[in-house]
Amino acid sequence: MAAAAAGPGSGSGPGDSPEGPEAEAPERRRKAHGMLKLYYGLSEGESAGRPAGSDPLDPTDLNGAHFDPEVYLDKLRRECPLAQLMDSETDMVRQIRALDSDMQTLVYENYNKFISATDTIRKMKNDFRKMEDEMDRLATNMAVITDFSARISATLQDRHERITKLAGVHALLRKLQFLFELPSCLTKCVELGAYGQAVRYQGRARAVLQQYQHLPSFRAIQDDCQVITARLAQQLRQRFREGGSGAPEQAECVELLLALGEPAEELCDEFLANARGRLEAELQSLEAELGPSPPAPDVLEFTDHGGSGFVGGLCQVASAYQELFAAQGPAGAEKLTAFAQELGGRYFALVERRLAQEQGSGDNSLLVRALDRFHRRLRAPGALLAAAGLAEAATEIVERVARERLGHHLQGLRAAFLGCLTDVRQALAAPRLAGKEGPGLAELLANVASSILSHIKASLAAVHLFTAKEVSFSNKPYFRGEFCSQGVREGLIVGFIRSMCQTAQSFCDSPGEKGGATPPALLLLLSRLCLDYETATISYILTLTDEQFLVQDQSPVTPVSTLCAEARETARRLLTHYVKVQGLVISQMLRKSVETRDWLSTLEPRNVRAVMKRVVEDTTAIDVQVSVLTGIIKISLKTLLECVRLRTFGRFGLQQVQVDCHFLQLYLWRFVADEELVHLLLDEVVASAALRCPDPVPMEPSVVEVICERG
């Protein structure tokens, strides 16, 4: 056994230090073991197989750095029985064999890698050796090539100089040949109509002919070319003045004339004059469409015609002019600006005439589309001719049309409101004429309010088209600010609300004017309408307006509270006037009943007079509509009092007044807030009649009550 072979008598103890080769072998193994630990990343005193927490200095730790086999065996002999020792031996033999096998495998693998690395290094040495040989051969060949190149250059130096001279002479001869053939070439180009080619030929030879014009031969060529060039310029001018070709061809003519040296200022004037003729023809065509005899096309078709004809032609003229006469500087630009301003102004006048014909129409969709196309087409000439202000003028026209449409819709709302009032008048008058009951005030009020609100919403939807995102001018400052705040909100909506209040207040004029013929029920309806506007409708309409038109203008606007206060004041005035009118109606009945009767010869009263019954009936009818009867009754009774003071009464006349006043006292007290007021006024009437009676004998109260109950 391994344990017996390593007994106490076979070696020294742990403290001994043997010398000689036997002591060096463990040292070498320990160094090799340390290198392996370094390779596999194990620290000093660390082992992969040692349990965690074990003492690294334990001499009995097989995996420890201080393992002592004698101590380990001695421990096994003391602590382990024979069976366990035999099992330990078997396990150690198995582990030794496994380690030997792993070591052999590792050695074989490393040996194969070493062999492969050796072969690779050998191949690299061979390849580098071949590369060095090839580089040596390449250097030799380059030296040979350099030597041959130097010999060839030295040999051909003289010939190269002669060839260069001959090439220069050949080029000069070709130029001379071109110059001598130039007159005939120019003549042929002119005959064939190749004006551009002729101008290019003349331009190539101009500098040479001017440089050598002191030589007779070159002078003759120059004279011939000038004659031909003059004829060419004449033909180009004639072609340009005829104007039969389009704008691109005419621009080409001007370009060729400028290349021939013709005066640029004169050509500027001729170019603009020719363009004026074409553009004026477009304007005349547009003006003919506005004439009285043929029916004018719709506004969208008109703007399309003007945009494709006049505006498109103006763009072509401006672009060609700037390209041709750019060298003219500010003077040339001023001519073009004045030209565009004059013709553009005439075009704008025609457009405004056509747009004015659309002011009476109620649909904005076609008008906005036409304005959008009109504005879009003028952006290109506006960019080309910034100094002419065409784009700004177009924007001003669009803004002016928008303002006119706002005014048109305001007038439409006013007309709609007046139409609603006319319908109410007819509805109030029709039942009396036909002798039947008509619609109630609540139904008429609902119809008026609904109709007005529908017209307001329709107007907002119509003017909202001017601010749609797809419209080219909607991003302009006016339509993002002033149009929304001052135009729509203040001018249209606030303006209509105030106009409605003013129209309603106009019915409060003094009798004999407009208010004298106003039905009292209409006054009552308008008063309630204004109250409804003050409580909810004004706030709703202005909120709806602010939501649809995102106001970005900082200009002050009318607060909702201000409009509500105006509506409330209008309602108060209407109600006050209603009380006045109704009081005057009843007062008139009482006045006539007093003034047309002979109170001195009146018979003994047997019944209440019919006029008093009518007063009670009318008061009851008014009470069904509104509870504002205190003022009406007060006015009526004061009128009765004044009429009684102007008359003289007999005994029975006094008694009739006594009966009438008692009857009114029975029925009128319920319509007033302070019934003592009714009693006081009626008592004053009876007392005044008694003062104006020569024989004041009043009727017994019981008899008066019987007559009034019977009446």
Side-chain angles (χ1 to χ4, degrees), residues 452-705:
I452 294 175
L453 188 59
S454 298
H455 281 88
I456 290 175
K457 290 182 177 180
S459 298
L460 288 176
V463 298
H464 189 264
L465 296 173
F466 286 93
T467 61
K469 292 183 178 179
E470 62 272 10
V471 178
S472 61
F473 51 79
S474 63
N475 59 348
K476 295 297 181 182
Y478 170 74
F479 289 98
R480 297 179 65 182
E482 182 182 349
F483 176 80
C484 298
S485 63
Q486 302 303 314
V488 178
R489 190 187 191 278
E490 294 296 306
L492 181 60
I493 302 303
V494 175
F496 169 69
I497 293 174
R498 284 179 166 166
S499 174
M500 185 180 69
C501 293
Q502 292 173 0
T503 302
Q505 290 183 17
S506 66
F507 292 104
C508 299
D509 296 336
S510 60
E513 299 180 4
K514 185 175 182 180
T518 303
L522 179 60
L523 297 174
L524 196 60
L525 183 145
L526 289 175
S527 176
R528 180 56 185 271
L529 179 65
C530 291
L531 283 177
D532 291 343
Y533 266 68
E534 185 260 336
T535 55
T537 308
I538 291 177
S539 177
Y540 169 74
I541 293 174
L542 291 181
T543 301
L544 181 65
T545 304
D546 294 338
E547 290 177 352
Q548 292 187 11
F549 299 86
L550 300 177
V551 178
Q552 300 181 6
D553 189 15
Q554 301 300 324
S555 302
V557 295
T558 305
V560 176
S561 58
T562 301
L563 290 178
C564 291
E566 294 178 6
R568 183 170 60 253
E569 176 62 20
T570 302
R572 187 196 64 78
R573 290 190 59 186
L574 287 168
L575 196 58
T576 302
H577 190 65
Y578 172 78
V579 171
K580 179 180 178 181
V581 170
Q582 291 291 65
L584 291 177
V585 171
I586 297 177
S587 299
Q588 190 68 20
M589 288 191 300
L590 293 174
R591 183 184 299 277
K592 290 182 179 179
S593 68
V594 173
E595 293 177 350
T596 58
R597 190 179 184 89
D598 186 4
W599 294 98
L600 292 175
S601 59
T602 300
L603 299 178
E604 184 179 2
R606 293 289 183 267
N607 204 342
V608 179
R609 289 191 299 153
V611 65
M612 299 303 168
K613 298 179 181 180
R614 176 67 182 275
V615 169
V616 174
E617 291 175 358
D618 290 353
T619 305
T620 305
I622 295 172
D623 183 62
V624 174
Q625 297 175 347
V626 63
S627 195
V628 291
L629 290 176
T630 299
I632 297 174
I633 294 174
K634 184 177 180 181
I635 293 173
S636 303
L637 296 183
K638 284 188 175 182
T639 302
L640 178 61
L641 178 61
E642 294 299 326
C643 293
V644 168
R645 288 175 177 174
L646 299 177
R647 305 291 294 180
T648 303
F649 296 86
R651 176 190 300 177
F652 296 142
L654 172 61
Q655 295 176 358
Q656 183 64 54
V657 171
Q658 185 180 2
V659 171
D660 293 343
C661 289
H662 185 72
F663 179 81
L664 293 177
Q665 188 174 6
L666 290 176
Y667 290 99
L668 293 184
W669 67 268
R670 71 189 68 177
F671 300 119
V672 297
D674 185 9
E675 59 181 286
E676 292 297 329
L677 177 65
V678 176
H679 297 330
L680 179 62
L681 290 175
L682 290 175
D683 290 344
E684 288 184 5
V685 171
V686 175
S688 179
L691 290 175
R692 288 159 178 78
C693 178
D695 186 16
V697 179
M699 184 177 286
E700 292 293 330
S702 58
V703 179
V704 173
E705 292 179 358

Side-chain angles (χ1 to χ4, degrees), residues 386-403:
L390 298 180
E392 292 78 4
T395 302
E396 290 177 0
I397 291 176
V398 174
E399 293 176 0
R400 188 157 52 248
V401 172
R403 294 189 187 96

Side-chain angles (χ1 to χ4, degrees), residues 224-480:
D224 294 341
C225 290
Q226 288 178 349
V227 173
I228 299 171
T229 302
R231 187 166 69 252
L232 172 61
Q234 183 178 2
Q235 292 183 8
L236 288 174
R237 283 184 176 274
Q238 183 64 29
R239 182 183 179 187
F240 173 71
R241 290 168 181 167
E242 288 176 355
S245 57
E249 290 78 7
Q250 292 190 341
E252 181 183 3
C253 292
V254 174
E255 184 178 4
L256 295 177
L257 289 170
L258 289 173
L260 291 176
E262 294 294 316
E265 185 176 358
E266 182 180 344
L267 290 176
C268 285
D269 297 336
E270 291 188 10
F271 181 84
L272 293 178
N274 189 276
R276 180 187 296 274
R278 297 196 309 272
L279 295 178
E280 285 183 345
E282 294 289 344
L283 293 176
Q284 291 174 1
S285 176
L286 291 175
E287 190 171 8
E289 294 180 359
L290 298 176
S293 51
D298 62 62
V299 65
L300 185 61
E301 182 180 349
F302 181 85
T303 53
D304 282 342
H305 182 190
S308 60
F310 174 80
V311 179
L314 183 61
C315 286
Q316 291 182 352
V317 170
S319 178
Y321 184 92
Q322 292 177 349
E323 183 178 355
L324 293 172
F325 304 106
Q328 295 302 305
E334 290 176 359
K335 288 184 179 181
L336 180 61
T337 300
F339 172 83
Q341 286 177 340
E342 178 189 354
L343 294 180
R346 293 172 56 184
Y347 171 66
F348 292 149
L350 293 175
V351 171
E352 289 193 279
R353 283 177 54 189
R354 182 61 187 88
L355 292 174
Q357 299 177 5
E358 296 295 316
Q359 294 305 312
S361 63
D363 185 17
N364 281 354
S365 59
L366 189 64
L367 177 62
V368 172
R369 289 174 59 195
L371 291 174
D372 179 42
R373 295 190 184 180
F374 165 73
H375 188 268
R376 286 180 187 273
R377 293 305 297 264
L378 279 164
R379 283 195 285 189
L384 286 172
L385 302 167
L390 298 180
E392 292 78 4
T395 302
E396 290 177 0
I397 291 176
V398 174
E399 293 176 0
R400 188 157 52 248
V401 172
R403 294 189 187 96
E404 292 174 353
R405 293 305 295 175
L406 289 174
H408 170 76
H409 284 287
L410 177 59
Q411 294 298 327
L413 290 177
R414 291 172 176 171
F417 178 63
L418 293 178
C420 291
L421 297 185
T422 302
D423 295 339
V424 171
R425 283 175 176 270
Q426 293 176 354
L428 293 174
R432 292 196 297 270
L433 296 176
K436 60 181 180 179
E437 185 178 358
L441 285 181
E443 181 181 354
L444 292 176
L445 175 64
N447 293 336
V448 171
S450 175
S451 177
I452 294 175
L453 188 59
S454 298
H455 281 88
I456 290 175
K457 290 182 177 180
S459 298
L460 288 176
V463 298
H464 189 264
L465 296 173
F466 286 93
T467 61
K469 292 183 178 179
E470 62 272 10
V471 178
S472 61
F473 51 79
S474 63
N475 59 348
K476 295 297 181 182
Y478 170 74
F479 289 98
R480 297 179 65 182

